[in-house]
Amino acid sequence: MRLLITFILTVLLLSLAQAQEYKTVTGTVQISGSGERLPLATVYVEGRGVGTITNQNGSFSINIADSLDGEILMISYVGYQSVRRQIKHLPDTLSVYLEEALVKLNEVSVEGTEETAEEIFQRALKKIQGENGYLKADEFRLDGFYRELHSSNDETTGILECAIQVYDNSVARSFKDIVIPQFRKVYERKQNIDQFIETKEGHNHLLLLLNSGINLIPLAKTYKKSVWKLPLEIESITYFNDRLVYVLSNTNAKRELRVWIDLEDYSVYKNELILKVEASDHDDHAWKKVTADGEKCGAILDHQAYEYRKVGGQMVPYYFFRKFDFRCYDLLKEKVSSSASFSTELLINNIITDGLSAYSADRLKVKKGLINRVEPYDSAFWAYFNDIQTTRENEQLTQKKQLARPVKTGISRNSASKVVSSHNPPLKIGNHSTYEFTRADTLYGSVTPLLSCYDVVYYDLDVDLNLQKEWITGESKIIFRMKSTADKIRVDLFEGFEIKRLSLNDVDLTFERELDLVYINFDKKLAKDSVYTIAISYEGRPLDMDFDIWAGAFLWEEDSEGNYFAQSLSQGYGSKGWWPSKNHIYDEPDSASVSITVPSEMYAISNGLLQSIDTVGNDRKKYVYKVVNPINNYNIAVHVGNYERHDISYMSQNQEDLSISYYFLKQDRDLALDKLSMVPKMLEVYEKYFGPYPFRSDGFKIVQSPYPMEHQSCVAVGQFFDDQLILHETAHEWWGNSVSIADNADIWIHEAFATYAESLYIEETLGYTIGQEYLNAKKADIHNDHPIVGIPGVNHFHYRIEDKYFKGALILNMLRHIVDDDRLWFKTLLGIQEQFKYSQINTSSLLAYFNERLGKDHSTLFKLYLFSLQIPILRWESVNGDTFRYRWENVPDTFDLTVYASDFGLHPSVEWQLASDLPDISIKEQLESKYLIKVIMD
């Protein structure tokens, strides 16, 4: 449907373009005298939404309809006198020279008053809040041009350009819907720097840019918690589009913060922030990440600017820009090892507030990133579209890619006959981030009598995937044993699916549905301890994945060659999103089989060992897999792609051969084999600390996928084989798949231990120090705004899940150092795997196990870190020149923790204690590295 809408929009836009004639003017904007070219100079029709901006070389190209022949083209730049030209007299090529227009502060008087920078800024904030971000319209559409550039080691690796339309009915609530009529893109090499920028939108950088700048409300709302709280000073008064403006700033060697505010009405025309550090200053990155190769990676530059202008007396968005420069510093070799750059820019070149017709949104939030999409390119569309001119450096690449792609009608190869069902019905679940739970949450999260009365023994799932329609037709056979007598049981299936038939021993059964619940009626009571088999035939479109609330079931993607690339993704919401099952995670079947029918040119992968590949009709194949170990229902998965298989041999810790297979997209063979060369060593490390790989009889597969997930014996590692994802998702084979939780409130156990396992691999391969660096770099990602143990019985999943990973792993690392006996510590971890293998654990049983095996009651510590938001503060302050005192703060009175660093040991309490000297900064760093605490020295 989206591509059909794209086609219609394209036709409409082309029709409109052909209905009127255009004048195309190209040119440059330069400084008078020096001839220096000015990037990001504004070029627009005065009083209209039509315009563009100069590129990094100071060049522009603008298409102006003949209907605007009587208007004025305005060219301006901050701090320079604007130039105006009558459009009807413009030549085809224009060179514009701007004169500097400096204004001295003492020459300007505003109503005879003098205001401080803070007073000016506060008046600007009040204006933003009072006028709802300025744009006053019941409904509007912003037409724009978006560009995204990727580079690695100074070589361009990706260029994306697209036209966008942003619809909304309230500028104060950010954008509502987006349509993308056309793409044009170069993506020459498989490079991934998304690992540096982790966004809620799934690395969709257009959404990140829009959310940051579509209106000025975010600036006003986040003022007290943002960099804008810094004290500002009046740097200068200058001109901005012929308006006198204050330039307020706060700058130092590592930060430049500026805002341009109208001298008379306090409108904000622009805000800009530049954060920067030296390329080798690896201890001061804005973002910190230590890779599996022992490289500390982060941004050495974050440059963002958001610009607005007046159209029809209203302030509207005009141009947004953001650029990151990254470096990776090799901690062993002590030098910069690699670099990457990423930039986005968005030009709003038209504003429409009247006569808006119905529209349908693009499913952007389902996409990992626009740069990975394969879209049609139609040169006719771009003939009259105002964009930002391509720079000389990228022009050749762009032309090469466009010439290689035939002009299409707007519908891609896989979509010509695509007929998608109506949108998935809205979910009835509550807002888990604010602890608002609905009846649906209770039904999905509780073990009700109609669930507890039976135990699943075996699933036999057979699905036919229509990749073109994004449609599933299937049958789920559930073999179960009754634990008590009952004449009714419950299974679960997303309410968007139609149940075609439900039967027992080929006899139809009646059933009722409520939300995602299916209540099955039997003619007579099912006997306790007896085994039965029901079959459920169904069809429909599975629930789309919504990463904002982590609810969904399927991702329907295309790879870089335009082939189908799909996977199930059930964690959190559960397997019911794409097949009938007993959805609650407490009940794992003893075994299962999965059959997947797909087009013959595609390869389908699931859990366990491949049993057969059968031909179905003339153009389809059925892949049959068998799982012989207990498996959580959300781990039962399908992956479909243009896969190639590569097998290697591995001798497990217990001297048994383990079958290992890699599945990767054919075009990514070299990348895959290079990145996956770490796998044998990784398995060796994990087996050392956690025992033999737990699912040897089901084999071990690593699968390239649209999204990473710990699918048991079939580990999905994402698109780019990131080292951290390979380590993390594989660690779940022990922590999550073998030792499992019974309620999503305890999901931190899965994620914390898997994250901690990553650091053990780093420690084994690169040493203890870098392993600790790897873990402690994750402190920057802790939000600490929710306890990491959730609410049981309501399927409380994914509300600020980062803390379950990072804070949880750092708690484990702290516990290791509290124990201060690695032999005991690692024996305890191994003991958890041995005692709870193929079974379930919760927070209480885990903590009881730790207390017993470690020989000390750590209950107060666990309660503080797992159930509260308190992070202990060790405060050390001077009493006089020779005496100091210290104590714990932000802890309960019963908190008892002795801390050590080098030859330094300390047993603080909540009461002040005296000491004769103040530890040096290295002691502070060691303590904060070993323990999840904050040390303050006054």
Side-chain angles (χ1 to χ4, degrees):
M1 181 63 73
R2 174 177 57 80
L3 286 162
L4 179 60
I5 292 167
T6 298
F7 173 66
I8 293 170
L9 285 168
T10 302
V11 172
L12 287 173
L13 287 167
L14 290 175
S15 299
L16 289 171
Q18 293 166 358
Q20 54 184 321
E21 297 297 324
Y22 281 81
K23 172 185 291 186
T24 300
V25 178
T26 60
T28 58
V29 179
Q30 300 167 258
I31 297 175
S32 181
S34 70
E36 179 184 346
R37 295 193 174 195
L38 289 172
L40 310 184
T42 57
V43 182
Y44 65 96
V45 179
E46 191 172 17
R48 304 277 187 162
V50 179
T52 186
I53 202 160
T54 59
N55 64 17
Q56 294 300 314
N57 296 329
S59 301
F60 70 89
S61 177
I62 185 170
N63 299 295
I64 308 172
D66 282 355
S67 59
L68 300 176
D69 208 36
E71 305 289 344
I72 298 294
L73 186 70
M74 185 170 180
I75 303 97
S76 43
Y77 192 81
V78 175
Y80 289 80
Q81 296 177 15
S82 299
V83 168
R84 290 178 170 81
R85 295 285 187 270
Q86 283 194 329
I87 291 173
K88 62 183 176 182
H89 297 312
L90 285 175
D92 293 340
T93 304
L94 180 66
S95 295
V96 179
Y97 294 89
L98 299 183
E99 299 280 351
E100 195 170 5
L102 294 178
V103 180
K104 294 182 179 179
L105 184 60
N106 59 10
E107 294 178 354
V108 178
S109 175
V110 184
E111 299 178 357
T113 65
E114 291 185 3
E115 296 178 293
T116 67
E118 181 62 23
E119 290 169 338
I120 295 166
F121 187 61
Q122 289 299 327
R123 292 186 68 165
L125 289 179
K126 288 180 181 178
K127 182 177 176 66
I128 295 169
Q129 294 164 328
E131 299 191 13
N132 278 339
Y134 299 170
L135 185 56
K136 306 179 193 71
D138 294 333
E139 190 175 45
F140 64 86
R141 188 183 88 201
L142 303 176
D143 291 347
F145 171 74
Y146 174 74
R147 174 179 287 147
E148 187 173 306
L149 300 176
H150 297 243
S151 70
S152 179
N153 295 323
D154 299 322
E155 184 177 6
T156 299
T157 55
I159 305 173
L160 163 75
E161 298 176 332
C162 65
I164 73 166
Q165 296 174 340
V166 182
Y167 294 82
D168 206 348
N169 53 17
S170 171
V171 73
R173 290 200 303 269
S174 186
F175 66 92
K176 181 179 180 182
D177 288 306
I178 297 172
V179 171
I180 298 184
Q182 265 284 322
F183 280 77
R184 61 186 187 196
K185 180 179 67 174
V186 172
Y187 194 53
E188 294 290 286
R189 292 172 178 81
K190 182 72 72 174
Q191 297 283 345
N192 177 38
I193 63 169
D194 280 345
Q195 58 183 305
F196 295 104
I197 314 173
E198 298 178 357
T199 71
K200 193 175 182 181
E201 290 78 14
H203 309 314
N204 190 312
H205 305 297
L206 169 58
L207 295 182
L208 177 63
L209 197 63
L210 280 168
N211 279 325
S212 300
I214 196 63
N215 58 69
L216 285 163
I217 289 296
L219 174 62
K221 281 186 175 179
T222 62
Y223 161 67
K224 292 184 179 179
K225 297 182 180 179
S226 73
V227 69
W228 293 100
K229 186 64 174 176
L230 292 170
L232 297 169
E233 63 179 26
I234 301 176
E235 179 180 298
S236 64
I237 292 179
T238 186
Y239 282 95
F240 193 108
N241 292 344
D242 279 358
R243 298 287 297 180
L244 278 172
V245 295
Y246 294 105
V247 183
L248 309 184
S249 66
N250 181 296
T251 64
N252 59 30
K254 296 182 179 181
R255 178 186 63 247
E256 295 181 27
L257 177 67
R258 288 185 176 85
V259 58
W260 285 256
I261 299 175
D262 191 289
L263 211 66
E264 294 182 5
D265 67 9
Y266 299 94
S267 298
V268 175
Y269 288 106
K270 181 178 180 180
N271 59 81
E272 182 174 35
L273 172 65
I274 304 174
L275 301 172
K276 53 191 175 181
V277 297
E278 295 297 324
S280 59
D281 191 2
H282 63 279
D283 285 328
D284 198 12
H285 290 159
W287 284 264
K288 294 180 179 178
K289 173 177 179 176
V290 179
T291 70
D293 297 322
E295 296 177 329
K296 180 172 279 189
C297 301
I300 63 168
L301 172 71
D302 177 5
H303 181 184
Q304 48 186 300
Y306 306 96
E307 188 173 321
Y308 311 84
R309 61 177 169 140
K310 286 187 177 177
V311 175
Q314 298 185 58
M315 294 295 294
V316 297
Y318 182 50
Y319 177 74
F320 307 150
F321 168 83
R322 192 163 191 179
K323 181 181 181 181
F324 296 95
D325 283 341
F326 302 101
R327 296 292 184 272
C328 283
Y329 184 88
D330 192 310
L331 293 170
L332 286 177
K333 297 179 180 177
E334 297 185 342
K335 67 176 184 178
V336 174
S337 54
S338 63
S339 63
S341 180
F342 171 80
S343 68
T344 57
E345 54 185 338
L346 173 63
L347 169 71
I348 301 299
N349 53 24
N350 201 12
I351 298 107
I352 299 173
T353 56
D354 298 320
L356 287 176
S357 56
Y359 56 88
S360 179
D362 190 11
R363 291 186 291 122
L364 288 181
K365 290 192 178 183
V366 180
K367 305 297 183 181
K368 181 177 173 64
L370 299 183
I371 196 74
N372 300 310
R373 291 171 66 162
V374 176
E375 301 287 349
Y377 169 75
D378 190 341
S379 58
F381 172 89
W382 296 94
Y384 301 102
F385 185 84
N386 281 321
D387 56 13
I388 304 171
Q389 195 173 61
T390 303
T391 58
R392 229 177 267 112
E393 292 77 5
N394 294 322
E395 190 170 359
Q396 186 175 359
L397 282 174
T398 306
Q399 290 177 349
K400 176 182 175 184
K401 189 68 174 182
Q402 290 169 2
L403 290 172
R405 301 173 67 186
V407 174
K408 300 183 181 180
T409 60
I411 300 179
S412 66
R413 177 189 67 80
N414 288 336
S415 314
S417 59
K418 186 174 183 176
V419 181
V420 178
S421 69
S422 60
H423 290 300
N424 294 148
L427 295 180
K428 312 301 190 301
I429 61 176
N431 185 345
H432 290 189
S433 65
T434 56
Y435 298 84
E436 298 172 14
F437 303 107
T438 65
R439 170 176 165 78
D441 292 311
T442 301
L443 289 172
Y444 300 160
S446 300
V447 182
T448 63
L450 293 183
L451 289 177
S452 61
C453 67
Y454 74 100
D455 178 62
V456 177
V457 176
Y458 186 84
Y459 285 119
D460 183 0
L461 176 63
D462 190 338
V463 294
D464 188 307
L465 301 183
N466 188 321
L467 301 173
Q468 200 169 58
K469 291 184 178 181
E470 300 179 358
W471 194 265
I472 290 180
T473 304
E475 181 181 71
S476 173
K477 291 180 181 177
I478 306 174
I479 301 175
F480 59 96
R481 178 180 290 104
M482 294 301 294
K483 298 175 67 177
S484 61
T485 302
D487 60 2
K488 179 181 286 191
I489 66 170
R490 169 191 144 189
V491 297
D492 304 281
L493 180 66
F494 170 51
E495 63 178 317
F497 281 110
E498 178 186 0
I499 295 178
K500 309 294 288 187
R501 188 188 184 201
L502 201 161
S503 62
L504 171 68
N505 299 327
D506 208 32
V507 177
D508 288 353
L509 299 173
T510 62
F511 58 90
E512 294 87 36
R513 304 188 71 172
E514 177 190 7
L515 302 172
D516 295 343
L517 282 57
V518 181
Y519 300 105
I520 304 172
N521 304 307
F522 297 96
D523 293 338
K524 59 181 181 180
K525 288 185 181 294
L526 303 184
K528 180 181 178 181
D529 296 328
S530 296
V531 176
Y532 300 89
T533 301
I534 57 172
I536 305 174
S537 300
Y538 69 105
E539 69 171 338
R541 190 169 186 275
L543 180 64
D544 285 328
M545 190 66 204
D546 185 341
F547 290 103
D548 281 347
I549 58 174
W550 201 269
F554 240 85
L555 293 176
W556 307 93
E557 302 284 353
E558 292 181 351
D559 67 16
S560 59
E561 301 295 324
N563 301 303
Y564 297 118
F565 194 29
Q567 78 172 109
S568 61
L569 201 62
S570 304
Q571 188 180 30
Y573 188 75
S575 53
K576 64 181 179 180
W578 66 282
W579 61 281
S581 60
K582 182 179 179 180
N583 192 71
H584 201 290
I585 63 172
Y586 91 93
D587 190 359
E588 297 187 0
D590 300 328
S591 54
S593 66
V594 182
S595 301
I596 314 136
T597 301
V598 293
S600 295
E601 69 271 19
M602 293 289 100
Y603 200 115
I605 306 165
S606 189
N607 316 81
L609 296 177
L610 179 63
Q611 305 296 301
S612 65
I613 304 175
D614 305 320
T615 300
V616 179
N618 296 324
D619 60 353
R620 297 180 74 74
K621 288 182 179 179
K622 176 182 284 192
Y623 293 78
V624 182
Y625 291 85
K626 181 79 177 288
V627 179
V628 299
N629 287 289
I631 184 169
N632 194 303
N633 59 54
Y634 81 76
N635 271 316
I636 293 178
V638 298
H639 304 83
V640 180
N642 185 30
Y643 285 115
E644 179 180 334
R645 173 176 171 172
H646 179 81
D647 297 328
I648 68 168
S649 59
Y650 175 78
M651 183 65 70
S652 187
Q653 182 193 64
N654 53 9
Q655 299 304 304
E656 292 181 322
D657 289 331
L658 173 62
S659 168
I660 298 181
S661 298
Y662 303 148
Y663 290 87
F664 43 80
L665 300 179
K666 293 178 179 179
Q667 63 268 27
D668 292 335
R669 175 185 175 84
D670 292 343
L671 172 70
L673 294 180
D674 175 54
K675 299 291 282 184
L676 293 173
S677 61
M678 67 183 290
V679 169
K681 180 63 178 179
M682 171 187 66
L683 291 174
E684 176 188 323
V685 172
Y686 286 173
E687 289 197 325
K688 171 184 175 180
Y689 288 106
F690 312 136
Y693 172 72
F695 306 109
R696 176 182 171 275
S697 50
D698 284 326
F700 177 63
K701 296 187 287 289
I702 287 187
V703 183
Q704 188 177 9
S705 61
Y707 198 86
M709 186 55 63
E710 62 264 26
H711 298 143
Q712 184 172 311
S713 74
C714 180
V715 176
V717 295
Q719 298 184 40
F720 303 104
F721 299 98
D722 179 76
D723 294 347
Q724 181 268 327
L725 291 175
I726 295 170
L727 290 169
H728 185 87
E729 305 307 337
T730 301
H732 277 305
E733 294 285 61
W734 287 264
W735 303 102
N737 299 347
S738 178
V739 176
S740 305
I741 58 170
D743 190 297
N744 275 320
D746 294 312
I747 193 69
W748 77 272
I749 296 175
H750 290 191
E751 303 302 351
F753 277 95
T755 304
Y756 182 67
E758 300 168 30
S759 72
L760 295 181
Y761 172 86
I762 309 299
E763 183 172 328
E764 280 286 318
T765 55
L766 300 174
Y768 168 83
T769 300
I770 295 181
Q772 291 299 297
E773 283 251 24
Y774 181 86
L775 270 179
N776 281 292
K778 299 181 183 300
K779 287 181 179 177
D781 297 311
I782 295 177
H783 297 284
N784 208 38
D785 52 1
H786 294 280
I788 66 175
V789 177
I791 308 300
V794 289
N795 197 37
H796 195 190
F797 189 84
H798 277 269
Y799 56 96
R800 283 291 201 189
I801 195 170
E802 297 94 333
D803 287 6
K804 301 174 188 295
Y805 292 73
F806 308 132
K807 185 178 179 181
L810 286 160
I811 292 170
L812 295 175
N813 188 54
M814 175 176 63
L815 193 56
R816 172 189 181 180
H817 290 99
I818 291 172
V819 172
D820 198 26
D821 181 344
D822 276 358
R823 182 176 177 278
L824 173 60
W825 170 246
F826 291 119
K827 183 179 179 181
T828 302
L829 296 188
L830 180 60
I832 296 172
Q833 285 295 322
E834 292 172 343
Q835 180 164 327
F836 296 96
K837 185 176 183 179
Y838 303 149
S839 64
Q840 291 172 327
I841 195 170
N842 58 32
T843 299
S844 296
S845 57
L846 174 64
L847 303 190
Y849 185 89
F850 271 140
N851 287 339
E852 177 187 352
R853 291 301 181 96
L854 298 177
K856 183 179 179 180
D857 187 350
H858 295 284
S859 299
T860 302
L861 185 84
F862 289 136
K863 183 178 180 180
L864 180 74
Y865 282 100
L866 296 177
F867 295 92
S868 83
L869 305 180
Q870 294 170 257
I871 299 295
I873 296 172
L874 174 56
R875 186 176 297 277
W876 195 286
E877 64 181 36
S878 174
V879 177
N880 54 49
D882 300 320
T883 307
F884 299 86
R885 62 180 186 172
Y886 61 91
R887 71 174 182 182
W888 285 122
E889 296 180 355
N890 204 34
V891 297
D893 291 345
T894 56
F895 187 73
D896 181 21
L897 176 61
T898 301
V899 292
Y900 297 94
S902 299
D903 296 328
F904 177 86
L906 203 64
H907 189 125
S909 69
V910 295
E911 302 295 333
W912 286 112
Q913 299 179 58
L914 295 177
S916 59
D917 56 5
L918 180 69
D920 62 30
I921 193 66
S922 67
I923 296 297
K924 167 184 163 67
E925 292 170 350
Q926 288 181 57
L927 292 176
E928 290 186 337
S929 173
K930 294 170 67 174
Y931 310 96
L932 187 52
I933 62 175
K934 179 68 175 176
V935 180
I936 299 177
M937 295 181 175
D938 295 328

